[in-house]
Structures are given as C-alpha cells and as structure tokens.
Amino acid sequence: MNKKKVIVPIVAGVATLGILTGVSYAYFSAKITENNKTETIMKSNELGLTFTGVSEINANSMIPGDSFTKTFSVENTSNRAVTYNIYMQNITNEFNEDLVYTLTDDNGEVVAETALPTTNTGKSYLMTNISIDAGVTKNYTLKIEYKYLDTLQNDYQGSSFNATLGIDTEQIQEEISTLCKRATTLHTEICSQTSTSSYCRADGYGEGDTITYGNLGENGTLSTGDAFDCDVNGDGTYDAETERFYYISDMTNGVTTDSDTAVLIYYNNVSGGEPNNMAAYVYDTSGNNNNGPVTAITQLPTTSQWSNVNLISPTRQITNETGGTTTSAGDLPSFSYEVYSARLLTYQEVYNGCYNGTTAITSTKGLSSKCKYLMENTKYSSSTLATYGGWLETPISSRSNSAWFVFGNSRIVGYNTVSTTSSLGVRPAIEVLKSNISY
C-alpha cells in the first residue's frame, strides 16, 4: 500500500502552567497546587491523541534553586502511527533565561532540556517529531527549575511565568482507501424457470419477472443483503458489475465472533479467481470432510488477483454447524487459506445473516426472505446456469463425508457429499474491517 504523510492540526491548550511569584527580599517561599484533569485533544476513527495530566500549576514565592514537576501522558487511541510535537504558547516569561525546563520520558531519559521560551503568543516547541504507535501511551515528567544566574538576587522579585502547554501532530499513516462503498444500483436477473414448485417461481416470481438482489441499505447501519462495491483488485475502481458483494453478517467460525469485522459474499461463483456461473467444483476429492475444502479453495482469488483485501487470519479452525471441532471422521484441523484473499462462508455466518426467526435455514424457503442474494447467478433464476449454489466451509456434524452448501432449488442450506460433482460452485467471502467500509 502507498504511504503518505497527512498533516493533521490538533486544537491545543490542554494544560495551563502558571508560576505566581511574591516579593520576599532575595528569595521566594514556594507553594504548589495541582489540579488533575484529563483532556481529549482529538478522537476519531482515523486519528486520536489523548492528553492526560495536570491542567494547572500555580507556584508562589520560589527561591533560586527551587523546582517543581508535572506529569502528563499522550495516548494514541487511533489505529495508525502518529508523530506529534509538544509545545507552549501564550507565554509570559518575566524570568527570562533563569527559568529552565527538563523533559523526561518513561525510561527516565532526558529528552529535552533548555531555558523556557521567552514571551511569545505563538507556539514554542519543547520537543518535536515524537513517534507513537497505535495503542501506545507515552508518559512524561516536566521539571521546571529556577536557576538564578544573575549576581543581583532581586532582579526577578515579583516575576511570573505563564503558558499554555499543548500538542499538535503529524500523522504518518498507510494510505488505506475505503475498500467497500455502498452500491448505488442493484443487480437483477430475469426469472426464467418454468416449474412453479421450486427456484424463483416458488418465491412468487412469474416467468419473465425481474429478480432484484440485495438492498441499498440505510446509512450508518449494516444489514444483511446490503450491497457494496469493493475495490478488491486495488485498481481504484469500484466496479458495480464485477466487484459486487453483499454483507451477510459479522465474522464467526462457530467458535468466535468478531463484531469489528464484516463478512461479505461475492455475487458470483468463481473459477480460477474469476467470476464464472458455469463452473462447478468438488469440496474435497478425497471424500472425507475432516480435511476441509482443500479442492474447492484452489478456485478462490489469490492474493495477487485480489491484492487490496486479505483475510484477518489465513489459518483458521474449521467447525461444524454446532461449533464443534470434531466429527465422526476425527478432529477438524486448523485450515490454511494462506495464498488466497478470500475464503468460503461458514454455516454460522449464513445462520446469523439469514435466519428470519421462524423458518429454519435448512427448511424450504429458509433463505427466501433475507438471503436471495446468495443465489444470484445460479439455477435459482435460470436452468441454463450451472450450479444450485456455492459450497460452505462447514462440514456436517452427523456425517463424515458431507458438507453444507446453498441450494437454490429449495432456497435452503442443504448438504451433500464432499466429492460430489453435481452442480456446486465456489463463492468467495471476504473479511473487511468495518472501519474500512463506507456505510
């Protein structure tokens, strides 16, 4: 991915320093009060720095050699590395160069040390170009010391120092363009099936009627069937014809669920990573379901074909429809999609996205009300197309030789033997962080 530097100004003024001095011959007696307070500078999906520390320090009557310290921290709450600067502004400094500061980091290392800035309404930087990774907090101690340098001790009687302490930032980030954008038009097909007891006709379409797949959705909400165009090949184009996906549910393999990650299913089956509604493939030629879909996945788009998307974890635990990791054939292994940008859907993801609360997804019309989009480019619309639907990753718990698939005839999730060559395809599912979807 390309990298760029983004200059992001942050409103400062998060902590105020004040040194109030009184007259007492040649020295000042000291009193320091601190008021702890947390301030948020900026917080967003793209950039977030939180400044935490003492918001105001008042010191009265300091003598030469006296000092005080304040502590503060900077937390990067974003998911990108950030480079920031620490500064003072709106400075009134009547001590001239006799007031100095030392800035110490987490490791006790002095990272900046010099005389405090002189009177200045603009920004005077104490330290610049500090890099902080995502999720990291850096802690600082700022020591301010009165080092009396003149021979006449009374020069700065009644003097004061006031300033506002703040941070601003430059963010160094990977340029990650939005991967998926809401579709503005929907795919359609013509229902050309003749039997009224199955396929599209059994869902109420007449012969010659238009079937519309998915929905345009509601801004700010992800609902099953929401249509998206995803720039999976990284060419900068969101192709509504060949890069159409549908949100089905959050990522789950039956054991764990990741609510930050959306799973989207492709509009078509694939052959060699390319859309193809006329090609069928077996799940596993060995005839056993405990290997995972080792044959089917060889048709998925590779990381070079869909270079702009990747799986959260290419190696995953395959589970059956109940979340179990064993079948009568033995333990289901961790399964690798290492060279692929997509995988097969799981039974649990289909259940979470498609169950309508009344009809089981394994019962006739179980997919009809919420998930017709799973049957686009299948025999659901036309007997001339090659497949009933696509394989799911999930083996069936009660059989050692079968796995689940989408069946357009009865509009259900059904199962078949993994070595069957009878009209089942490979349909890619992608995993996308919700923060990288424009919805």
Side-chain angles (χ1 to χ4, degrees):
M1 296 181 182
N2 297 327
K3 289 182 181 280
K4 68 176 180 180
K5 178 181 284 190
V6 182
I7 307 299
V8 186
I10 288 185
V11 178
V14 299
T16 303
L17 298 176
I19 301 175
L20 307 177
T21 63
V23 179
S24 181
Y25 297 103
Y27 65 90
F28 310 132
S29 62
K31 180 182 178 182
I32 300 173
T33 58
E34 298 184 356
N35 178 25
N36 289 317
K37 180 172 146 182
T38 300
E39 297 282 353
T40 299
I41 306 303
M42 175 181 284
K43 211 165 186 178
S44 72
N45 288 334
E46 295 301 321
L47 174 65
L49 285 181
T50 300
F51 181 106
T52 305
V54 176
S55 64
E56 186 174 357
I57 296 178
N58 297 314
N60 296 313
S61 304
M62 294 182 68
I63 64 172
D66 273 355
S67 64
F68 67 89
T69 61
K70 77 177 295 289
T71 60
F72 64 93
S73 62
V74 178
E75 179 186 7
N76 182 0
T77 58
S78 75
N79 58 4
R80 304 286 187 271
V82 175
T83 298
Y84 63 93
N85 312 305
I86 303 171
Y87 66 84
M88 287 182 180
Q89 68 177 1
N90 301 320
I91 301 167
T92 301
N93 182 8
E94 296 176 353
F95 287 92
N96 199 11
E97 296 180 353
D98 285 0
L99 209 59
V100 300
Y101 75 90
T102 304
L103 191 62
T104 306
D105 65 12
D106 296 85
N107 301 317
E109 179 182 351
V110 174
V111 292
E113 183 176 24
T114 189
L116 278 163
T118 55
T119 298
N120 183 0
T121 57
K123 293 179 180 179
S124 293
Y125 287 93
L126 308 184
M127 190 177 178
T128 60
N129 298 318
I130 312 162
S131 179
I132 183 170
D133 290 333
V136 171
T137 298
K138 293 200 173 196
N139 302 299
Y140 296 94
T141 300
L142 178 65
K143 179 181 179 182
I144 295 180
E145 185 175 4
Y146 179 25
K147 290 187 175 180
Y148 200 89
L149 303 179
D150 285 345
T151 56
L152 297 176
Q153 293 185 346
N154 289 330
D155 279 2
Y156 299 119
Q157 264 183 210
S159 297
S160 66
F161 174 86
N162 294 280
T164 299
L165 179 68
I167 56 175
D168 58 18
T169 187
E170 296 176 351
Q171 184 177 23
I172 309 301
Q173 67 177 26
E174 289 182 342
E175 183 180 10
I176 304 178
S177 60
T178 298
L179 179 61
C180 298
K181 295 181 178 181
R182 278 200 183 277
T184 57
T185 60
L186 295 177
H187 283 189
T188 61
E189 289 180 321
I190 300 300
C191 178
S192 61
Q193 290 285 359
T194 57
S195 171
T196 59
S197 62
S198 58
Y199 301 111
C200 55
R201 295 294 302 277
D203 275 346
Y205 294 98
E207 190 173 359
D209 284 353
T210 298
I211 306 166
T212 300
Y213 293 107
N215 39 265
L216 299 179
E218 178 183 349
N219 286 341
T221 302
L222 277 175
S223 299
T224 188
D226 284 0
F228 289 90
D229 299 324
C230 302
D231 180 24
V232 288
N233 62 10
D235 65 357
T237 301
Y238 300 83
D239 192 326
E241 292 300 316
T242 62
E243 293 182 308
R244 172 59 50 85
F245 291 82
Y246 302 98
Y247 169 73
I248 183 162
S249 60
D250 292 349
M251 187 171 75
T252 176
N253 64 356
V255 177
T256 57
T257 298
D258 179 0
S259 59
D260 294 326
T261 303
V263 176
L264 293 90
I265 187 69
Y266 200 42
Y267 78 103
N268 206 344
N269 296 332
V270 293
S271 177
E274 298 295 333
N276 190 324
N277 59 16
M278 298 303 294
Y281 296 97
V282 303
Y283 181 97
D284 181 6
T285 54
S286 75
N288 294 318
N289 65 10
N290 64 327
N291 298 318
V294 293
T295 306
I297 68 167
T298 61
Q299 302 305 320
L300 290 170
T302 64
T303 53
S304 59
Q305 289 174 303
W306 286 3
S307 58
N308 207 32
V309 65
N310 58 274
L311 298 173
I312 302 299
S313 177
T315 301
R316 50 191 281 112
Q317 181 68 53
I318 294 179
T319 65
N320 59 41
E321 76 280 2
T322 64
T325 56
T326 60
T327 67
S328 57
D331 292 341
L332 296 172
S334 292
F335 188 78
S336 177
Y337 287 93
E338 197 67 43
V339 299
Y340 303 103
S341 294
R343 58 171 172 84
L344 301 185
L345 273 181
T346 68
Y347 180 100
Q348 289 82 4
E349 286 159 348
V350 177
Y351 178 86
N352 288 342
C354 300
Y355 179 53
N356 62 15
T358 57
T359 305
I361 63 173
T362 54
S363 298
T364 301
K365 297 189 72 170
L367 302 180
S368 294
S369 61
K370 297 179 71 176
C371 289
K372 273 198 286 282
Y373 59 87
L374 292 176
M375 297 174 284
E376 183 178 355
N377 280 295
T378 71
K379 290 179 181 296
Y380 177 76
S381 65
S382 172
S383 59
T384 63
L385 300 181
T387 70
Y388 294 106
W391 286 107
L392 301 183
E393 178 189 87
T394 311
I396 186 170
S397 60
S398 60
R399 296 170 180 262
S400 63
N401 65 350
S402 299
W404 296 98
F405 71 99
V406 172
F407 188 32
N409 184 315
S410 303
R411 292 84 68 218
I412 65 171
V413 172
Y415 63 87
N416 209 328
T417 55
V418 296
S419 58
T420 185
T421 57
S422 60
S423 303
L424 296 177
V426 175
R427 188 160 298 214
I430 60 173
E431 301 170 353
V432 186
L433 291 174
K434 291 179 182 178
S435 59
N436 209 15
I437 301 175
S438 177
Y439 69 95

